[in-house]
Amino acid sequence: RKQGSPRTVTNPADRRHIVGQVWECDAAMIEDAFKVAGRGFATWSATPPETRAAALDRAADVMEARTADLMA
């Protein structure tokens, strides 16, 4: 979910090269994000380490496969 104001991100080595876009947020949006993360913490903490590791491996695989999309 994208809220707030979009901001262009440039390559620090070459500010002419746009590498992506991020969305600014306010304090209320940050508070909401922490609340959502907090609700998932108990379940995540109770998940066996092997299952958590497998989930993180899958997430890394997806991110690697979609690097171009994530950078756009």
Side-chain angles (χ1 to χ4, degrees), residues 7-8 10 15-16 25 31 48 50 57 63 67 71-72:
R7 181 171 58 93
T8 300
T10 57
R15 297 283 182 191
R16 297 170 295 173
C25 62
E31 185 65 31
E50 298 81 12
D57 283 340
M63 289 173 63
T67 298
M71 294 297 294

Side-chain angles (χ1 to χ4, degrees), residues 1-9 20-27 29:
R1 157 178 92 152
K2 295 175 183 174
Q3 296 179 358
S5 303
R7 181 171 58 93
T8 300
V9 178
Q21 192 173 41
V22 296
W23 278 257
E24 302 287 340
C25 62
D26 59 20
M29 292 168 68

